[in-house]
Amino acid sequence: MRMFPNRREGMMAARNRLGLIFAMFLMLAGAACVNAIGQQATEMRTPKPPDAPRIHGPKIYGARPGHPFLYRIPCTGIRPIRFSAKHLPATLKLDRQTGIITGEAPEAHGEYVVKLEAANSHGKDSRTFKIVVGDTIGLTPQMGWNDWYTFYNRVTAKDVRSAADAMISSGMADFGYQYVDIDDCWARKPGSQDPELKGPVRDADGNILPNARFADMSGLVKYIHSLGLKAGIYSSPGPLTCARYEGSYQHEAADARRFSQWGFDLLKYDWCSYGRIAKDKTLPSFQAPYRKMGSILEGLNRDVVLNMCQYGMGDVWQWGRQAGGNSWRTTGDLGVVKGNVLPGFYSIGFSNAEHSKYAGPGGWNDPDYILIGTVGNARDMNAPARHTQLTPEEQYSYMSMWSLMAAPLFYSGDMTALDALTRNVLCNAEVVDIDQDSLGKQGRIVRKTDEEFILAKPLADGSLAVGLFNLTTAPRSITVNWRDLGVTGRQTVRDVWRQHDLGVYATDYSTQVPVHGVELVRLIPKKRL
Ligand code: GLA
């Protein structure tokens, strides 16, 4: 029930309504786009960021003592922007032009509260950034890009470089996308006759060798780092990767050392042929290879995030963190899931949402990558990448669900073919803030029926992010009661995608939700006067 207990709130709500009508007019007039079928005008939900600087990204960041440190301050606004940082630990230094912080994390465990500042000729902004030096890294879900669903077994160093360049030039990095990850197929392939893949898989000292498409791994990682971005690599605890390239079995420590020498910041460790090595299907067998790699990585002198990939076996969400994982895939590959009326990401999302209580700072449920924009076909890897068949509403639902689930946000489409809608879906600062929230809670399921799905995620500032998803093929009015959400009292309801307040509500909130779409709101408790 909506109410305006005083004149000011009533006027504000009226102004918000006028604002909304005006914004809708602008969107329809200027930012409307025609979908692939060429019929329907689509609203671009995310407003253009202001010309003045706005600092984005996580407000909390974990680093191990004395380890190399690299962080590019995500910031929108017209460049040049001048950056500064108050109370930056003495072991770190900021490049004021690029906003890249480098150096080593302090040796002493503790919390270092830094004030990041950015200014240009249009204005300025600041944001608190708490560096927590200790044992835990990955305090917020990782964000970045992974090549798999675009390049499969064709990936080259050049593709990865271009993706890193595009992460900067597209502005994605300004919203917090940071990791540039190489997936399978960078190593050599035992038994292959392909001149680019064949040859000894290791050198005389047992060091794993990249294939000819990745002739200079250190150079590639250095380049990624020079942009202020981080680099990820892939291996398997089995003798072979899923695509049958060299894996790390019996070379775990040497491979981890090599990855670290090359400068990698993340390892995706994919079960694959380890199935042949594991003695049985008991929990200790599922855990063994991850425990081993987890403790090796913890002993390195750089921070390497461990992205476990074993498709949820043995209820990995219950023990992934203890095994050293910073995230763990909870399901099989999203790209091969056949949707029915609802596209495949919904079923993956529904299942990932069940494990909300296991996610938290340092360890996240991973429902796989975001497949929108121009993207390859995992069921026919040789087919050229093409534009997603998901409707714009489905794409906004996808990104909303992943953010409410505090999922790692990895885009896996073609970075060099980012269109306006894809950027609009991936780059909404308030949506990303929900994913990256410092409290690190995964949204819980409030309602799941054949028609409606509701997720609610408590945030560090005491507000609550709520996603109302319409699973049907007709527009639908969805209502949620405060009782179901566990909140009481008057709440300012904010439309997160469109970034404006909708009004003050006392007991419930109802809204019209498009077909397969979402309305994502934030409930901000009104302070009692
Ligand atoms: C598995 C993983 C995918 C990808 C491929 C690579 O299928 O789940 O994410 O890494 O292997 O071969």
Side-chain angles (χ1 to χ4, degrees):
M1 191 189 70
R2 187 173 188 150
M3 59 179 236
F4 305 117
N6 59 43
R7 211 169 99 82
R8 203 170 142 258
E9 280 177 9
M11 276 170 54
M12 272 173 59
R15 209 167 48 213
N16 285 335
R17 266 202 308 275
L18 273 178
L20 175 62
I21 292 165
F22 184 59
M24 281 170 67
F25 169 75
L26 280 185
M27 278 185 252
L28 288 173
C33 75
V34 175
N35 73 9
I37 313 159
Q39 299 155 336
Q40 220 180 313
T42 302
E43 174 198 356
M44 294 277 201
R45 292 192 178 191
T46 305
K48 186 175 166 300
D51 291 345
R54 289 282 179 277
I55 302 178
H56 309 295
K59 292 181 177 154
I60 190 164
Y61 184 91
R64 297 209 175 102
H67 285 188
F69 189 101
L70 173 68
Y71 185 77
R72 178 186 186 275
I73 302 171
C75 184
T76 52
I78 306 275
R79 308 253 163 177
I81 292 175
R82 273 165 295 108
F83 291 92
S84 55
K86 286 210 174 90
H87 315 299
L88 195 66
T91 54
L92 298 177
K93 74 168 197 299
L94 166 73
D95 181 315
R96 290 170 63 94
Q97 265 76 51
T98 59
I100 299 174
I101 301 174
T102 52
E104 276 93 48
E107 288 291 349
H109 281 227
E111 295 189 347
Y112 299 80
V113 182
V114 180
K115 189 172 173 208
L116 304 175
E117 295 171 327
N120 67 10
S121 55
H122 301 271
K124 58 185 181 177
D125 191 27
S126 67
R127 185 149 166 133
T128 303
F129 183 63
K130 194 198 281 180
I131 301 170
V132 184
V133 177
D135 299 328
T136 312
I137 56 173
L139 295 183
T140 63
Q142 292 75 53
M143 294 176 64
W145 173 82
N146 175 292
D147 80 73
W148 180 245
Y149 285 109
T150 300
F151 295 109
Y152 301 107
N153 60 1
R154 300 180 296 277
V155 65
T156 67
K158 191 164 164 279
D159 300 327
V160 176
R161 256 178 191 252
S162 310
D165 287 337
M167 195 171 279
I168 303 291
S169 63
S170 69
M172 270 177 71
D174 297 336
F175 290 85
Y177 293 88
Q178 190 184 24
Y179 288 88
V180 178
D181 285 5
I182 307 170
D183 206 273
D184 202 349
C185 309
W186 62 267
R188 294 188 180 173
K189 188 168 188 181
S192 171
Q193 292 314 309
D194 185 324
E196 288 185 335
L197 308 178
K198 69 180 196 185
V201 291
R202 293 178 179 274
D203 69 14
D205 301 322
N207 292 314
I208 193 162
L209 293 166
N211 65 44
R213 298 168 185 164
F214 289 90
D216 178 13
M217 216 40 129
S218 307
L220 174 61
V221 175
K222 253 199 206 100
Y223 180 71
I224 294 171
H225 285 170
S226 75
L227 302 175
L229 303 175
K230 298 190 179 189
I233 194 156
Y234 167 105
S235 191
S236 169
L240 296 174
T241 67
C242 291
R244 312 189 73 76
Y245 289 60
E246 174 71 356
S248 293
Y249 182 57
Q250 293 184 326
H251 297 277
E252 294 84 357
D255 286 2
R257 223 173 22 247
R258 173 106 307 200
F259 300 153
S260 162
Q261 283 161 355
W262 280 334
F264 283 101
D265 309 289
L266 177 149
L267 172 65
K268 173 173 173 181
Y269 208 39
D270 194 349
W271 177 268
C272 306
S273 68
Y274 191 81
R276 287 196 267 123
I277 307 296
K279 285 197 301 290
D280 48 37
K281 292 198 162 125
T282 60
L283 212 46
S285 297
F286 285 139
Q287 294 174 341
Y290 291 97
R291 283 194 192 285
K292 182 177 231 168
M293 187 49 92
S295 71
I296 293 170
L297 294 183
E298 269 166 39
L300 295 174
N301 58 8
R302 66 180 296 116
D303 292 351
V304 181
V305 160
L306 178 57
N307 171 207
M308 296 172 57
C309 179
Q310 47 84 290
Y311 341 115
M313 293 183 304
D315 293 347
V316 63
W317 40 90
Q318 294 184 12
W319 51 266
R321 179 192 302 269
Q322 282 71 43
N326 298 107
S327 61
W328 40 86
R329 278 267 302 279
T330 56
T331 68
D333 293 11
L334 192 151
V336 298
V337 172
K338 278 212 181 92
N340 35 43
V341 180
L342 284 171
F345 77 83
Y346 284 96
S347 60
I348 297 270
F350 297 153
S351 130
N352 188 74
E354 299 283 341
H355 317 307
S356 58
K357 72 172 193 221
Y358 301 101
W364 310 99
N365 290 312
D366 176 3
D368 209 356
Y369 306 135
I370 299 184
L371 306 186
I372 60 174
T374 301
V375 62
N377 180 352
R379 276 181 261 123
D380 179 9
M381 294 184 193
N382 292 320
R386 59 175 193 158
H387 204 264
T388 178
Q389 297 296 293
L390 298 178
T391 67
E393 298 306 346
E394 289 164 348
Q395 298 178 43
Y396 288 114
S397 294
Y398 198 158
M399 181 71 184
S400 303
M401 212 184 281
W402 263 230
S403 299
L404 285 162
M405 295 192 301
L409 296 178
F410 279 91
Y411 179 57
S412 193
D414 186 347
M415 290 289 294
T416 62
L418 288 170
D419 56 291
L421 177 63
T422 306
R423 282 204 310 268
N424 199 272
V425 172
L426 293 173
C427 297
N428 183 306
E430 293 195 21
V431 176
V432 169
D433 270 354
I434 291 176
D435 181 78
Q436 294 291 302
D437 186 71
S438 314
L439 198 59
K441 290 256 188 239
Q442 176 172 336
R444 73 173 173 93
I445 302 173
V446 173
R447 184 179 308 158
K448 169 80 181 68
T449 65
D450 288 346
E451 292 80 28
E452 298 177 2
F453 184 55
I454 300 182
L455 285 176
K457 182 182 198 290
L459 304 174
D461 66 354
S463 67
L464 185 73
V466 184
L468 303 107
F469 297 86
N470 173 6
L471 310 181
T472 74
T473 50
R476 183 178 180 87
S477 168
I478 301 185
T479 301
V480 69
N481 294 306
W482 284 192
R483 209 177 336 106
D484 301 338
L485 296 174
V487 299
T488 52
R490 293 181 303 137
Q491 310 280 328
T492 299
V493 176
R494 184 169 175 80
D495 181 330
V496 176
W497 278 106
R498 300 175 188 87
Q499 302 185 355
H500 61 91
D501 292 350
L502 297 165
V504 178
Y505 293 75
T507 55
D508 59 26
Y509 175 70
S510 298
T511 188
Q512 189 74 9
V513 188
V515 175
H516 292 183
V518 66
E519 289 305 327
L520 178 60
V521 293
R522 192 160 172 160
L523 269 50
I524 305 151
K526 281 295 274 183
K527 292 213 179 67
R528 289 185 210 292
L529 296 173

